[in-house]
Amino acid sequence: MMKHINHKIIYASLVCLMTLSFSSCNDKLDITPKGKSTLGSVDDLEMLFNQQYDFGLPFTDLGLICNESYGQTVNVPTALSQKSTMLYSMIAWDESVDRASLTLTDSRYNNAYKYINYMNTIINKMPGASGDENKKKALEAEAHIMRAYIHWLLVNIYAPQYDEATAAKDGGIAYVTDLNVTDVKSKETVAQVYDKILADCSDEYINALPLHSNDVLRGDQAWANAVRAKVLMQMKRYADAIPYATKALDINPTIEDRSSVLTKLDWILPKQSKSNLLYMGGLLFTETISPETISLFERGDYVKDYAFMNGQTSPGGGGDDDSDAKMQACAKILKKNATRTGFQDGDPDDDYVPVNSANPSWSPLYGMMLSGVMGADTYFSMQSFVNGYGITSDRMYYTLAECLIRTGKYKEGIDLVNKVRKNRIGESYYTDLSATNEADAMAQLQKCKWIECLATYENFFDCRRWNTEPAYKRTITRNMTDLNGNTYSFSIAPNSKLWIFPFPQDAVRKNPTLTQNY
């Protein structure tokens, strides 16, 4: 018999998940002098790849900037009342907030350079390490490509978007390649950073990796080709990216089949999913998405319209009096205002009701309760591990599709979009998309890709890139109504400095070259 959901358990689980953090300690690195290590064998050095990469959850900040989300369990009206905070600046898109002074530290930034140091340890010590000589080349190549990938993530968060016309002058990040962690690492230009990224993910290193890896935390040639493809696409070198994206998908063409939701009643996405080329993710649990994002879901989406909250077809009681009362009040508001966006076409006379409407995993009830915003949905299921900072083969189809579209191959690009959509939309609602020009093809890709890339860095990175292209840059508007009927409207321009995150103060104090890039 299906058990009801106990709200006390849900809230306890929520608190636990929000306080968990991953750490990876290696005693052999914790020695003096600082920056040195005693790692002397190939096997010891290989252990440095065994990381639970912790960059946080993209939807808690990157998703706020591009209006994918309202973050994680953020009460928006409360956040808007606290104006001297980073959270306020991201929700209200207020450029007057001194974000640099508010960013005392940044675990994503600091962890990234910790992992880069691990890669540098492998690269610098591998030639003299004892052990299997046949493994050395592959491990060193993997470290080079991982070093490239992590720097690529950093430069796309803390520096301006790559633009060929300005990259040689735009401030970038420090590209660290040595083990002298006490030395000041000078900030380089965006162009210099990208030159080093490309050198670190060269064909030589790509081909030195094994063709396949059975470990989603380790790189293979599919992942390596995907890294180079994404770097080149972000540089807007679309034709150059095509061969690498194609090779990545030739090696691993996996597309996750979400029709399994029909029998499992929940979206079960494990960390070990075959579509994870390399996993750097976390639970989707409690991302709250904006009404603008919700409007982009297609009717018949397997997760949106068929997946039940934790696989349970009906909601349960058992919460405390206050939470139950709040749920009942929100449920009444939902019914009265008909805010449920199962009606994707906006037709009030449409009688379409999603199969999971009694207890959906993308919950409008919890969206309203947690965010305090009408029309928001919160993901309230705990078996979906989204690869937020890693790369999946599913999303590589969209990388290749856009590169094809941008080079005039509209049909080929849209065909790849459809290939993924067939595994996302119920048969009763699925129809092929088609396009005969770039504008139409891009409009369809952008809508579908946005949903495919929820809870990842990709929507934020795409917006930054498109913001430097006249045909695709746009001002984003966020419209919200709270539970008391108060309305809010904010906008962010393509050239807003909010698209660049500040360097944390604990890094700036140690490195005077880290002037802010906005």
Side-chain angles (χ1 to χ4, degrees):
M1 181 178 293
M2 197 74 69
K3 293 183 179 180
H4 290 307
I5 299 171
N6 185 303
H7 298 298
K8 288 182 178 179
I9 293 175
I10 289 178
Y11 281 109
S13 301
L14 174 59
V15 171
C16 290
L17 282 165
M18 292 179 66
T19 56
L20 283 174
S21 63
F22 292 107
S23 63
S24 181
C25 300
N26 191 309
D27 293 339
K28 294 188 177 184
L29 291 175
D30 297 335
I31 63 172
T32 56
K34 192 172 183 179
K36 304 296 181 180
S37 76
T38 59
L39 296 168
S41 74
V42 172
D43 290 341
D44 282 345
L45 289 167
E46 185 176 13
M47 290 294 289
L48 293 179
F49 286 114
N50 296 338
Q51 304 298 322
Q52 291 280 355
Y53 291 98
D54 181 13
F55 298 113
L57 299 169
F59 60 80
T60 62
D61 54 6
L62 306 187
L64 279 165
I65 297 299
C66 65
N67 199 33
E68 171 190 311
S69 75
Y70 295 153
Q72 183 180 45
T73 65
V74 171
N75 184 274
V76 172
T78 299
L80 290 175
S81 71
Q82 300 169 348
K83 297 191 175 183
S84 296
T85 65
M86 277 288 289
L87 186 56
Y88 167 81
S89 74
M90 292 188 290
I91 293 177
W93 290 326
D94 189 341
E95 295 185 8
S96 69
V97 175
D98 186 356
R99 296 178 298 143
S101 67
L102 292 170
T103 308
L104 301 180
T105 190
D106 182 335
S107 60
R108 173 178 52 210
Y109 182 91
N110 293 331
N111 284 348
Y113 278 107
K114 177 181 71 175
Y115 303 136
I116 288 168
N117 181 254
Y118 292 170
M119 299 306 110
N120 289 337
T121 300
I122 294 168
I123 292 166
N124 282 271
K125 297 183 76 68
M126 189 61 73
S130 61
D132 188 343
E133 292 294 325
N134 293 325
K135 291 174 65 176
K136 285 186 176 182
K137 186 176 180 181
L139 295 176
E140 188 174 341
E142 185 176 352
H144 274 281
I145 297 169
M146 182 61 76
R147 184 170 73 182
Y149 183 67
I150 297 174
H151 279 108
W152 179 73
L153 291 174
L154 289 170
V155 78
N156 278 284
I157 297 171
Y158 301 96
Q161 159 63 30
Y162 181 93
D163 189 35
E164 187 176 9
T166 61
K169 296 180 181 179
D170 289 336
I173 59 171
Y175 201 99
V176 181
T177 59
D178 62 52
L179 296 178
N180 298 317
V181 297
T182 57
D183 291 352
V184 172
K185 312 299 181 185
S186 296
K187 185 177 78 171
E188 303 188 49
T189 67
V190 169
Q192 290 170 326
V193 171
Y194 267 89
D195 285 344
K196 293 184 176 181
I197 289 171
L198 289 172
D200 263 345
C201 61
S202 66
D203 289 347
E204 177 186 357
Y205 293 134
I206 292 171
N207 295 329
L209 265 61
L211 191 64
H212 298 285
S213 171
N214 294 322
D215 185 348
V216 296
L217 298 177
R218 297 294 301 277
D220 59 14
Q221 287 189 28
W223 167 72
N225 277 284
V227 169
R228 190 168 178 89
K230 284 191 168 295
V231 171
L232 290 167
M233 185 176 81
Q234 202 68 11
M235 298 175 75
K236 292 169 281 190
R237 291 170 55 179
Y238 300 111
D240 293 339
I242 289 174
Y244 295 99
T246 301
K247 185 66 178 293
L249 290 172
D250 285 345
I251 297 169
N252 187 344
T254 303
I255 299 176
E256 176 212 354
D257 182 4
R258 292 187 190 166
S259 67
S260 62
V261 168
L262 299 178
T263 54
K264 295 178 179 178
L265 305 181
D266 195 1
W267 181 27
I268 299 174
L269 181 65
K271 297 177 183 178
Q272 297 80 18
S273 171
K274 292 181 180 179
S275 66
N276 283 332
L277 302 188
L278 196 140
Y279 181 79
M280 297 178 173
L283 277 172
L284 178 60
F285 183 59
T286 65
E287 177 179 16
T288 298
I289 52 176
S290 67
E292 291 85 2
T293 289
I294 295 168
S295 70
L296 299 177
F297 277 97
E298 293 189 65
R299 176 172 294 183
D301 183 282
Y302 282 127
V303 177
K304 185 68 161 60
D305 291 353
Y306 292 90
F308 292 88
M309 188 185 298
N310 291 311
Q312 301 189 35
T313 56
S314 61
D320 57 65
D321 292 342
D322 287 343
S323 63
D324 280 347
K326 188 173 183 180
M327 286 189 71
Q328 291 171 12
C330 290
K332 288 180 180 178
I333 294 173
L334 279 172
K335 185 175 182 179
K336 179 180 179 180
N337 293 280
T339 58
R340 180 72 176 104
T341 50
F343 315 111
Q344 284 92 338
D345 58 7
D347 183 356
D349 297 322
D350 193 337
D351 60 359
Y352 173 72
V353 178
V355 171
N356 62 354
S357 59
N359 197 37
S361 57
W362 278 114
S363 171
L365 183 57
Y366 277 101
M368 182 185 298
M369 284 179 61
L370 295 173
S371 73
V373 174
M374 303 283 287
D377 280 6
T378 294
Y379 193 77
F380 235 86
S381 207
M382 300 174 65
Q383 299 195 74
S384 311
F385 288 87
V386 174
N387 197 352
Y389 280 103
I391 302 177
T392 70
S393 50
D394 312 81
R395 302 197 313 253
M396 282 306 300
Y397 280 95
Y398 279 94
T399 296
L400 179 55
E402 181 174 355
C403 290
L404 290 170
I405 291 168
R406 303 300 290 274
T407 53
K409 298 177 181 178
Y410 318 125
K411 182 181 184 304
E412 293 91 332
I414 290 297
D415 284 348
L416 291 178
V417 173
N418 286 329
K419 193 170 184 178
V420 178
R421 289 179 60 248
K422 286 177 182 177
N423 293 276
R424 301 293 183 262
I425 310 299
E427 290 183 5
S428 299
Y429 301 99
Y430 177 84
T431 57
D432 278 339
L433 301 176
S434 62
T436 57
N437 58 65
E438 179 177 314
D440 288 346
M442 280 297 294
Q444 296 187 74
L445 175 139
Q446 286 175 318
K447 177 181 177 181
C448 298
K449 187 181 182 185
W450 191 269
I451 297 301
E452 182 68 29
C453 296
L454 290 180
T456 76
Y457 66 79
E458 303 224 26
N459 288 332
F460 176 81
F461 280 25
D462 281 347
C463 284
R464 281 170 45 100
R465 175 166 53 86
W466 293 328
N467 282 342
T468 64
E469 300 180 291
Y472 300 106
K473 65 181 180 181
R474 65 188 180 97
T475 295
I476 299 173
T477 299
R478 169 180 287 153
N479 294 311
M480 300 180 291
T481 302
D482 68 21
L483 304 189
N484 294 318
N486 300 310
T487 59
Y488 310 84
S489 185
F490 306 106
S491 295
I492 183 171
N495 62 348
S496 171
K497 63 183 182 181
L498 296 170
W499 292 106
I500 303 170
F501 279 75
F503 293 123
Q505 289 299 306
D506 57 354
V508 172
R509 281 195 301 271
K510 298 173 184 176
N511 187 347
T513 74
L514 290 180
T515 53
Q516 302 297 343
N517 284 321
Y518 52 83

